[in-house]
Every structure is written in C-alpha cells, then in structure tokens.
C-alpha cells in the first residue's frame, strides 16, 4: 500500500514540476533512468502481492461463497469430507486480537506519552531502550517465554489468554513506537498556546495533544493489531487448534485462523486443501476489513481542520 | 465530545463482534452423519452428559481418530473431542506435562530410561496412578515411491534398508533389478524422504528393518531417523514430497500413500512378494500378541515373519490414558469415547481408509481394560 502511495506521489510531483528553460541533456537522461528504475522497483514489489492475492482468491474463494463457511465450525468434519465453516476460527482470532489490543493499547499509549511528554533522564532512556529490545524479540521467543512462565512455572493449561499475553509482548512495542512518532509530530506551539491559557499539563495532553495525534495513533494500533492477528508462532506453542466453537479465554483450547491453516497445511486431500486456502483468504479479508474500519474511525475521530 | 464519539464507534465495533460471536454453530450434522456411515444412532444411552476431551500425538492415527471422533460426536450431542496430530513424541510430552487428557502414540510408553526420563514412570507420576497403553488402531506402513512407468515394485528388507541408508542410489541398481525382473527401471537417482519430526512411524519402520534385515540396518530403532535422505514434517509431508518428486521414496501410513496416489512397493520377506491389501494386513495383525501387565496392553508384532501372504510392516497406535482419571469429571467421557473407538463397528469402518481392525482377541482385551478405567 505505502509503496503505491509514495510511488504515485513522486510521479505526479515530478511531472508537475515546471520546466525552467532547457535542462542539460545529462540531467534529463538521469531523470528518465531514475523514473524507469523506480517503476521497475514498484512492479517488483507489486508482483508478489498480486500473485499471492490471485492464488489465494482463486483457490479459496468458492468456499467463502457458501453461507455455512460463515455460520458453522469444523466440528465433526474430517479431512476427507467437505463442509463445515470457519466461524470458530474467526471468533477465536477476533477475541484474541481484541483482548490483546485491550491490554496493549493502554500500556503502549501511556508509555509513549511518558516518553514524549514527561520522560527525561535515565529512566526514560532505560524505557526507550527496553522498547527497542522488545521490538527485536522474535515471535517464537515471546511464545516460548510465556510457555515457560504459564505452563512450566505456574503449571497452568494452555489457554487462549496465554496466547494473548504472548501477543501483547509483540504488540506493545509497535504501539509505543508509532504513538511516540505521532506525538512528536504535534507542533510544540499547540502545547505552548495551551499552557499560555493556563491549562495544566495533563489536560493539555488529554485535550490537545492526543486528539491532534489521534488518527496517527489509530493507524499505529491497527498496524500492531494486523501484526498480531496474523501471528503464528505463539499460537502453535500456546494455542492448540480445536474444530469446535470455543470462546472461553481461560478454559480449553481456542481455535484461530492461523492454527486452522496450520492444521491441514500438509494434507493432500482436496477438501482439506480447499479449506486451507479458504481460511487464508478469510484471514486476509479480516485484516483488510479491520484496516478499513480503523481508517473510518480515524476519519470520524480526527480534528476538523 | 470527541471522546464520546470515539466511545460510540468503539461500542458499535464491540457489539458487532459480540453479535458475530453469538451466531456460530457447531452443528454439522449433515456432514458428520454422512461420514460416520454405519455407526449412527446406535448407543446413545451410553453417552456421558457432555464435556471436552483433549488429545494430542501420533499423526499416523489422525485419519482414524478423526473418523471415530466424528461419529462419536454425532451420537453424543454436547461432547467435544479434540485431537492435535503433532507426533507421538510431542503427544507423550504434553501428556506427561498435564496438558492433554490422553496421548496418541505409535509405540507404548518406554519402561527404560531414555535421555534420563522413563516415560512410563513420568506418566504414572503425573496421573497418580499407572498410565495404560491401549492399542487402538493398527495400520500398515507403505513404502511409497514415485517412479515414472513403474507400477509394480518388489522390495526385500535388505534392499529397502540399503536404499534408506544410501547404499543403493540409483533406481536401476542391480540389487533392485534382480528382484524386479520384467520391470524397466530408470537410471535416475533415488531420493529418500524421512520424517523430520519425532515419529512413531519412523520407530516402527526402523524396528521392521532392524528385525528383518539386521545386517543391512545396523542402527537402533527409534523415533528419530538415523538413515539418509531429506526430512519432511509429518506423514502428509513425506507423502506430499514423494508425490512432487520424481524418483522419491518414503515410508508412510497406508492411508496417506493411498490419499496421495503413490506407488506402493510389495514386500518380500522371504516367502514371495506380498502386496499391501487388507487381507494381507489382517493376516499379520492376527499373528500379533497382546503383552503387558494386566490392563496395560502392548501389542507385539513379528516383523520378521516369513508367513506367506502376510504384509509385515505394521504399526500399532495406542491411546495412552491415566488408569484413574486425573480429572474425575472426565472419566465417563474418556471411557465412552474409547469404548466407541474400540467397538467392532468403528474398527470395521476404519478399513476403508487404510487401517486394519484390531484382531477380535485383542479387541476384547482392550474393551475389558477400558471398562476397568476409573
């Protein structure tokens, strides 16, 4: 998406630059060369994307058109039989994603506010450093860490909430970093103007800084959410798949779309193969819809210019 | 005001997702009845009230247990049985760690220490009572291959062992040609595939090679593959790799070889080539003996059998359960499900998907053991 935007931006900019006199031939040549290279790079980036989308849609779309895909689970359906749906996995993915977001967003946003508005000195540096480290933690390590804590140390069962905890570790740094950037973009003049009117600092942050940065923060949250909803490694370790509907975060197994894909990944029987493609397409659609919904929220919530 | 609007949008999103959560259905009655075939609407009186059972382990029995689960669930409304086919090694580990109610394994719990752990003792420690091995599904292991123009291939244990240790590298090797007169073998390289995960199939296959060709196969049988080749994950993984690779060969459960339409080698244990058929498997299974103490059953197979017409490469998969259920609330469900799985009806239905029913003599012992679970 972003490549597309910047690419088209640059071309329109380049073409709308007024030509002053006659530029040197060498510069014209370089301009053309750069344009060709840029378009090639753009195509290179777009080809795999279209290819993936086409493969997934062509192989999985027919199942998504059946109403039972959206209303039934896979309970009682074996790899050699058609039928059943993905509603159990969609629910699991949504519940885990939203729970993760509910935990991560407050932590992440507040950390970012601290870092940008309050944090000075050693503690702020330490927090910032920790966030950097957390950003670099591979998802499988986050999964294993929670497994070691939840199962090995405390002796609990593998449940949906444990998955959420692992996903929180992955989502918090994304939210912190993006929110931090957005808060830094808020012009200092706005803050100063607010102080000049005698508004206390906390109120300035709540009523001026956060609303100004709102749409950017939402975008960051959505990027984080999209990352964790498509995440697989912690789910494989902590969230075994079940074919039945399970909405209890604290009891029993919880199915999700990534584990549903993984379950039949190596199957050679056609009904199972079809379901793998269909659940992959469902996951892509789900994240797409969330992204669109998030943009809508951002538009409704942003300050009127 | 801004915050209010945001709250409004957020609550709409929340209500929307809750509504979606509420409207799903577990009722796949149509599909399940079609799949269960013979055994629908029989013993609904023996159904427990409901509940959930989690199992994990052998991928060799995945197809069999999924059929059994499907027919059980359609009989007993409100019950949910989950089975994750992550491999025998993983299943036993999760069972000992208390993560699942039963484990599926292609070999009984070890009674001797391996890597410092005696599986049987560790399981008994978790259960607080001895853990029992209940043989539930027997299935032949097919040596499956993909060679263009070769629809019939005979292998002796020695030749098979030499292929999987990398001593024979070409399909037209004289050793293969000698036992396959009349078949034109191409001169291309043999590409063996093995299970990269810890697998009971590997253990049973290597047990066979060790028993039937002790001079050619010298390493000890085990869940980890010690031969040559390229590793692939799980049964479906190796079967898929052979399907996609000209000149490939692997060992996989019959059902996977069948599902992938692979060539299946005939085995010559010394009394002539035997094709893999239900009857040939039945002959070998009925020769198997149930051993073990009391209700802890282990099935002993004679891999080196020279009986004419018996297919020797077999695998027995077990369900491993606590003899006294760790969670008393689940005891009824475990018993009901295993009884259903071991019933003559269910066992017979497994034949069409590449498994062999338990011999009656073994099946009655298993049923008695299940009845003694508490």
């Amino acid at each position: 998406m972003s490549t597309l935007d910047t690419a088209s931006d640059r071309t329109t900019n380049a073409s709308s630059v007024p030509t002053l006199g006659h530029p040197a031939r060498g510069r014209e040549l370089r301009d053309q060369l750069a344009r060709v290279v840029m378009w090639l790079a753009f195509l290179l980036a777009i080809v795999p994307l279209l290819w993936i989308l086409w493969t997934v849609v062509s192989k999985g779309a027919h199942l998504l058109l059946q109403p039972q895909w959206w209303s039934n689970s896979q309970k009682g359906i074996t790899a050699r039989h058609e039928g059943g749906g993905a509603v159990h996995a969609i629910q699991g993915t949504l519940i885990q994603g939203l729970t993760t977001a509910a935990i991560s967003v407050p932590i992440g946003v507040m950390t970012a506010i601290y870092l940008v508005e309050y944090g000075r000195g050693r503690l702020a540096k330490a927090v910032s450093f920790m966030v950097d480290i957390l950003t670099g933690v591979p998802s499988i390590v986050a999964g294993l860490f929670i497994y070691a804590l939840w199962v090995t140390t405390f002796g609990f069962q593998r449940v949906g909430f444990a998955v959420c905890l692992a996903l929180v570790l992955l989502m918090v740094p994304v939210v912190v970093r993006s929110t931090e950037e957005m808060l830094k973009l808020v012009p200092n003049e706005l803050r100063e103007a607010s102080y000049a009117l005698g508004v206390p600092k906390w109120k300035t942050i709540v009523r001026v800084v956060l609303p100004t940065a709102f749409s950017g923060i939402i975008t960051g949250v959505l990027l984080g959410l999209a990352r964790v909803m498509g995440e697989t490694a912690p789910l494989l370790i902590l969230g075994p798949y079940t074919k039945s509907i399970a909405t209890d975060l604290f009891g029993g197994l919880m199915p999700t779309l990534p584990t549903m894909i993984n379950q039949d990944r190596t199957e050679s029987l056609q009904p199972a193969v079809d379901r793998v493609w269909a659940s992959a397409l469902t996951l892509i659609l789900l994240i797409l819809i969330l992204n669109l919904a998030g943009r809508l929220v951002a538009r409704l919530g942003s300050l009127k210019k | 005001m801004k915050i209010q609007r945001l709250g409004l949008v957020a609550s709409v999103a929340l209500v929307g997702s809750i509504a979606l959560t509420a409207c799903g259905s577990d009722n796949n009655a149509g599909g399940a009845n079609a799949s269960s075939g013979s055994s629908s609407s029989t013993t609904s009186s023996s159904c427990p009230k409901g509940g959930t059972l989690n199992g994990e382990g052998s991928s060799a029995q995945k197809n069999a247990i999924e059929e059994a689960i499907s027919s059980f669930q359609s009989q007993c409304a409100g019950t949910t049985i989950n089975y994750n086919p992550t491999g025998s090694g993983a299943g036993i580990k999760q069972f000992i760690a208390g993560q699942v109610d039963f484990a599926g394994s292609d070999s009984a719990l070890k009674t001797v220490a391996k890597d410092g752990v005696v599986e049987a003792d560790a399981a008994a420690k978790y259960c607080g009572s001895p853990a029992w091995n209940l043989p539930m599904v027997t299935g032949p292991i097919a040596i499956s291959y993909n060679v263009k123009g070769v629809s019939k291939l005979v292998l002796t244990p020695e030749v098979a062992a030499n292929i999987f240790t990398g001593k024979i590298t070409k399909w037209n090797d004289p050793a293969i040609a000698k036992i396959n007169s009349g078949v034109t073998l191409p001169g291309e390289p043999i590409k063996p595939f093995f299970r990269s995960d810890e697998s009971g199939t590997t253990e049973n296959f290597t047990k066979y090679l060790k028993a039937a060709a002790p001079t050619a196969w010298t390493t000890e049988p085990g869940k980890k593959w010690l031969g040559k080749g390229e590793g692939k994950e799980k049964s479906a993984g190796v079967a898929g790799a052979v399907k996609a690779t000209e000149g490939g060969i692997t060992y996989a459960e019959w059902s996977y070889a069948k599902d992938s339409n692979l060539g299946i080698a005939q085995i010559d244990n010394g009394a002539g080539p035997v094709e893999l058929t239900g009857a040939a498997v039945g002959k070998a299974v009925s020769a198997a003996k149930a051993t073990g103490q009391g209700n802890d059953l282990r099935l002993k197979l004679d891999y080196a059998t020279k009986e004419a017409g018996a297919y020797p490469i077999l695998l027995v998969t077990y369900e491993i359960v606590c003899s006294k259920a760790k969670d008393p609330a689940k005891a009824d469900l475990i018993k009901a499900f295993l009884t259903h799985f071991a019933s003559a009806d269910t066992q017979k239905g497994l034949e069409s998907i590449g498994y062999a029913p338990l011999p009656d003599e073994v099946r009655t012992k298993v049923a008695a053991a299940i009845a003694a679970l508490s």
Side-chain angles (χ1 to χ4, degrees):
Chain A
M1 294 279 179
S2 59
T3 17
L4 208 157
D5 287 342
T6 45
S8 56
D9 281 347
R10 266 182 220 159
T11 44
T12 48
N13 285 345
S15 58
S16 64
V17 167
T19 41
L20 297 169
H22 217 61
R25 193 154 173 71
R27 278 172 68 187
E28 213 166 77
L29 212 67
R30 264 176 293 176
D31 177 51
Q32 289 297 334
L33 188 74
R35 189 170 297 177
V36 168
V37 168
M38 199 201 64
W39 274 103
L40 277 180
F42 168 65
L43 284 178
L44 212 63
I46 205 86
V47 161
L49 178 70
L50 289 179
W51 196 341
I52 290 173
L53 279 179
W54 169 246
T55 315
V56 175
V57 168
S58 64
K59 295 192 174 185
H62 66 284
L63 274 187
L64 264 65
L65 296 176
Q66 297 172 359
Q68 61 174 353
W69 182 260
W70 305 100
S71 64
N72 282 34
S73 70
Q74 286 288 319
K75 189 170 181 177
I77 306 282
T78 65
R80 58 190 65 241
H81 296 288
E82 289 177 6
V87 77
H88 60 311
I90 297 173
Q91 285 173 6
T93 295
L94 279 180
I95 292 172
Q96 285 183 0
L98 293 179
T99 310
T100 305
I103 302 173
S104 317
V105 171
I107 298 177
V109 170
M110 284 194 236
T111 309
I113 290 175
Y114 169 77
L115 285 178
V116 174
E117 306 289 337
Y118 293 95
R120 302 284 176 269
R122 224 177 256 172
L123 180 62
K125 269 196 186 132
V127 170
S128 188
F129 183 59
M130 293 298 166
V131 173
D132 275 343
I133 292 179
L134 212 53
T135 315
V137 170
S139 56
I140 185 109
V141 175
L144 283 172
F145 168 68
I146 297 294
Y147 185 89
L149 198 72
W150 189 265
V151 177
T152 314
T153 310
F154 292 132
F156 296 145
Q157 293 280 320
R158 291 173 296 179
V159 292
F161 189 70
V163 174
C164 293
L165 288 181
L167 294 181
V168 164
L169 290 181
L170 300 173
M171 188 165 174
V172 164
V174 178
V175 176
V176 172
R177 277 289 167 256
S178 61
T179 308
E180 215 183 328
E181 292 309 314
M182 288 304 133
L183 292 179
K184 278 182 190 160
L185 283 181
V186 175
N188 240 345
E189 287 79 4
L190 281 182
R191 294 189 183 87
E192 280 159 8
S194 175
Y195 295 151
L197 292 173
V199 181
K201 188 167 186 176
W202 68 268
K203 211 165 187 178
T204 306
I205 293 169
V206 173
R207 303 303 291 266
V208 176
V209 177
L210 280 183
T212 313
F214 181 74
S215 64
I217 294 174
I218 289 289
T219 312
V221 167
L222 280 170
L223 280 180
L225 196 60
R227 181 185 171 190
V228 298
M229 288 203 355
E231 191 53 72
T232 313
L235 297 168
L236 294 184
I237 298 169
L238 291 162
Y241 178 71
T242 159
K243 294 182 172 189
S244 316
I245 288 175
T247 50
D248 186 359
L249 274 175
F250 292 94
L253 314 182
M254 202 166 185
T256 50
L257 283 166
T259 49
M260 184 178 173
I261 294 169
N262 180 63
Q263 179 85 355
D264 285 333
R265 174 174 56 95
T266 50
E267 276 296 344
S268 54
L269 293 158
Q270 203 52 45
V273 173
D274 285 347
R275 279 197 286 269
V276 169
W277 287 111
S279 34
L281 180 57
T282 311
L283 184 59
I284 293 174
L285 281 180
L286 202 65
I287 291 174
L288 182 72
I289 290 171
L290 262 181
N291 263 311
L292 293 180
R295 296 214 166 174
L296 191 73
V297 172
R299 187 166 298 171
L300 288 179
S302 66
L303 282 182
K304 297 225 164 55
K305 292 276 150 74
Chain B
M1 260 178 13
K2 203 101 297 150
I3 306 297
Q4 271 172 359
R5 183 133 34 116
L6 176 61
L8 187 76
V9 176
S11 53
V12 166
L14 198 68
V15 168
S17 52
I18 287 171
L20 185 72
T21 308
C23 72
S25 163
D26 261 341
N27 185 13
N28 281 316
N33 278 343
S35 65
S36 66
S38 59
S39 59
S40 55
S41 74
T42 40
T43 53
S44 47
S45 59
S46 66
C47 281
K49 261 188 239 131
T52 303
L53 215 54
N54 296 324
E56 185 168 336
S58 156
S59 62
Q61 57 168 283
K62 177 193 171 208
N63 292 331
I65 201 169
E66 282 198 339
E67 288 297 327
I69 289 172
S70 177
S71 52
F72 180 74
Q73 284 178 160
S74 65
Q75 268 176 38
C76 298
T79 58
T80 303
I81 320 267
N82 300 308
Y83 186 78
N84 273 302
T86 50
S88 299
I92 290 175
K93 276 179 196 144
Q94 297 295 358
F95 180 70
I96 290 170
Q99 296 292 313
V100 289
D101 302 307
F102 68 92
S105 175
D106 301 347
S107 44
L109 291 173
K110 299 266 180 309
T111 47
V112 290
K114 193 187 158 240
D115 303 334
V117 181
V118 182
E119 286 174 357
D121 293 351
K125 195 175 155 209
Y126 155 68
C127 287
S129 60
W132 288 350
N133 303 285
L134 305 172
M136 198 57 78
V137 181
T138 58
I141 300 173
I143 299 186
S144 344
Y145 63 93
N146 175 5
V147 187
K148 228 181 225 140
V150 180
S151 55
K152 180 173 172 277
L153 181 75
V154 178
L155 292 176
T156 60
E158 284 78 20
V159 171
N162 283 334
I163 287 176
F164 283 105
T165 50
K167 284 208 188 81
I168 297 179
T169 55
K170 288 265 193 301
W171 278 106
N172 60 357
D173 191 278
I176 303 180
K178 209 176 107 191
I179 48 176
N180 285 286
S181 52
V183 180
T184 4
L185 294 157
E188 58 186 28
I190 300 178
K191 294 172 194 126
F193 289 96
F194 65 87
R195 289 278 298 273
S196 57
D197 49 330
E198 282 195 28
S199 153
T201 316
T202 303
E203 187 169 20
N204 280 278
F205 183 61
T206 48
K207 266 186 191 161
Y208 163 75
L209 290 176
K210 180 84 180 157
T215 49
W217 187 268
T218 48
T219 51
E220 279 306 307
K223 287 193 177 70
K224 277 206 183 81
W225 179 249
L226 296 171
K228 288 279 163 8
E230 185 183 337
K232 290 280 176 228
E233 212 186 332
K234 299 190 188 164
S235 307
V238 287
V242 170
K243 192 181 182 183
T245 312
E246 178 76 23
I249 188 168
T250 192
Y251 53 97
E253 297 76 46
W254 193 20
S255 57
Y256 286 96
K258 265 179 154 178
D259 290 343
S260 303
N261 291 318
L262 301 174
I264 296 171
Q266 301 185 8
I267 304 299
D268 185 350
N269 241 19
V274 181
E275 199 186 337
L276 176 41
T277 60
V281 175
K283 214 162 188 180
V285 173
S286 57
K289 294 273 174 297
T291 63
Q293 294 172 331
N295 286 319
D296 181 16
L297 300 167
R298 284 147 202 261
L299 212 56
K300 194 150 178 57
L301 298 166
D302 181 12
Y303 290 111
T305 180
K306 291 214 167 22
E307 198 185 327
Y311 185 87
I313 320 178
L314 289 178
L315 149 134
V316 180
T317 77
Y318 299 83
E319 310 307 332
I320 296 169
V321 292
C322 298
S323 51
K324 275 197 185 62
K326 185 86 177 162
D327 179 356
K330 288 184 173 179
D332 283 345
L333 187 56
I334 292 179
K335 273 173 95 161
F337 173 63
L338 292 179
T339 306
H340 171 79
F341 201 174
S343 72
D345 258 10
T346 312
Q347 290 284 327
K348 223 174 127 223
L350 298 180
E351 221 172 329
S352 64
I353 53 167
Y355 295 90
L358 289 174
D360 272 344
E361 171 230 12
V362 177
R363 207 177 56 74
T364 45
K365 277 189 187 168
V366 172
I370 294 170
L373 289 174
S374 58

